[in-house]
Amino acid sequence: MIVATLKPIDEILEKASSYRRILVLGCGTCATISDWGGMKAVRQISEMLRMARSDRMQTHDLKEFVVQRQCEPAFLDPLLNEIRSIDAILSLACGVGVQILSERFPDITVLPAADTHFIGTISNSNVYREYCRGCGDCDILQTGGVCLVARCPKASLNGPCGGEDEFGMCEVDPKERCVWIQIAERLTVSRREGFLDKIVTPKDWSRSRSGRTMRIPDDGITDESES
Amino acid sequence: MNPNHDLLTHINRAERTDIWEFRTTVTGDPRERIEQIKHVTGTWLAVKDNPQASPTLCALAVSALLKNSGYNPILTVNCRDCNRIALQSRLLGAMSLGITAILIESGIHPASGDDPHAKSVYDIDTVQLAGIAVGMSRRHQLLCGNTIDRATTLRVGVRLSPFKGNMQLQESMLRKYRDTPADFFVLETNDDMARFKKWYDSVYCKLCLSQIPIFICNSAGVKPEDNAIASQKGVAGWYYR
Ligand code: SF4
Ligand code: SF4
């Protein structure tokens, strides 16, 4: 999932304060799993907007809606009715959702209500961990299915950086174990320790640069035209 | 290469070879700092590369100044601040300025440094950088395959922390550096003689690394004569912080 978190409420209220007619728009996929993109969250944010406006004696016209995915243009059709006579959409979605909304409705201001962090997963007790950085060149077989690009702050592909402490905790985030220790454990369990000794050559980053467009040919087989 | 300026020749000839860490500062004129170390003779000076992840005077410029002042600099190069293009460019610069040894580090992450808003690079890691430096120096080749005109010898050193974390991983890193092959190691030992000796006999020699000289990092307050580690076989000398 895309991991994002809601911006501080004061920042959201401040951003929204210049607009009177606002559609508060949730997203039913990643943001809902994170517990702030579904209808419940949409209602809470709307209520806060209402209260803030009432405090300032401002009039308001708030609508509430949730689409299944803001990041897919096809899922935005149900909004065509909702966005009539709207000044702004307050988007409870990731940065992709915000951009797709802006593309689809260029005459309406789209206010991002969230900060998007990474592709990852939720562990227990509200801990989110980054798992993938979309490098376009997935090679996690030899690290026991653990991605160093996303999970090691130094992307140290050949082994621990030397900054881990006596107990194997990461130099950069001492609350996290060095990801290499996890890799060693995985490879040992699966009797593939041999991978640990294999020198990994410099990574091909050409498939992970910013501004990529991937063109899938009609046969759908290759993505060689990625740029 | 002038034998006086080759670290390995120096190690082979001298009873002991020491490295002093040379920390650059935020200054446009490091001559005063260089003047302060004029009593230091016969040792090598490891010029730090933006230590604490904050900008200081360019390590390559300082290394060149030290070289011109009659010292033997070791250029420290980290993987944090530059991508492979800039790192190779820096090594070419080092060669052209007569610098003959480099010390590779991963570099403290910006999150722990003085400028936590900086973006780190980590395009390549320390093993890869060591391999690239060896390729440039010995095979006269850049990573992209282009040939280097008039490459000179660079002795390539790496830092090791063999007693930290997972021993199996530390061994595998050693193997990789051996196969690179690195020319020297700077070792964090925490002055633990018993542990160092055990590691030296059971790991270092087992991996046929005894030919690769080791420099022992001293920790604050420990004098070399207090510590028996430095007299161990394979230990070239001390690395003074
Ligand atoms: S190697 Fe690349 S594609 Fe695979 S998980 Fe890591 S970042 Fe994602
Ligand atoms: S301690 Fe481990 S996980 Fe942390 S930066 Fe170093 S190698 Fe990566």
Side-chain angles (χ1 to χ4, degrees), chain A residues 153-154 156-162 164-166 171-172 180 188 193 196-203 205, chain B residues 84 106-109 111 122-125 127-128 143 161 164-166 168-170 172-173 175-176 190:
Chain A
K154 296 187 181 177
S156 188
L157 301 186
N158 274 289
C161 68
E164 68 279 17
D165 71 13
E166 286 279 325
E171 170 195 314
V172 183
W180 268 103
T188 304
E193 300 98 318
L196 290 176
D197 290 337
K198 192 169 167 262
I199 292 186
V200 179
T201 53
K203 189 169 176 68
W205 294 111
Chain B
R84 64 189 78 182
S106 66
I108 291 173
H109 194 276
Y122 297 116
D123 172 18
I124 50 176
D125 67 17
V127 172
Q128 293 162 346
L143 183 62
S161 306
K164 275 190 182 173
N166 177 304
Q168 183 188 16
L169 287 169
Q170 299 299 348
S172 102
M173 283 297 266
R175 272 194 204 98
K176 290 183 181 186
N190 304 333

Side-chain angles (χ1 to χ4, degrees), chain B residues 147-202:
Chain B
T147 307
I148 303 170
D149 185 24
R150 298 188 202 183
T152 59
T153 302
L154 278 179
R155 301 300 184 190
V156 178
V158 286
R159 271 185 194 281
L160 293 178
S161 306
F163 306 153
K164 275 190 182 173
N166 177 304
M167 294 302 115
Q168 183 188 16
L169 287 169
Q170 299 299 348
E171 262 195 63
S172 102
M173 283 297 266
L174 258 180
R175 272 194 204 98
K176 290 183 181 186
Y177 287 130
R178 174 196 65 191
D179 297 342
T180 298
D183 294 307
F184 66 99
F185 293 126
V186 171
L187 209 77
E188 309 279 350
T189 61
N190 304 333
D191 307 310
D192 186 339
M193 174 63 192
R195 204 165 178 191
F196 169 76
K197 190 149 180 11
K198 191 162 164 238
W199 172 85
Y200 188 83
D201 293 337
S202 63

Side-chain angles (χ1 to χ4, degrees), chain A residues 24-74:
Chain A
V24 181
L25 183 63
C27 179
T29 311
C30 307
T32 297
I33 298 171
S34 302
D35 224 19
W36 53 263
M39 189 44 97
K40 190 172 139 213
V42 165
R43 291 203 175 114
Q44 282 171 349
I45 300 268
S46 299
E47 193 47 40
M48 284 190 230
L49 282 170
R50 270 188 206 102
M51 278 165 30
R53 275 154 193 256
S54 302
D55 286 350
R56 292 189 216 141
M57 315 290 263
Q58 288 174 315
T59 56
H60 47 73
D61 182 359
L62 300 175
K63 288 185 173 181
E64 297 162 358
F65 204 81
V66 176
V67 290
Q68 185 57 35
R69 284 187 215 158
Q70 290 188 25
C71 58
E72 300 271 356

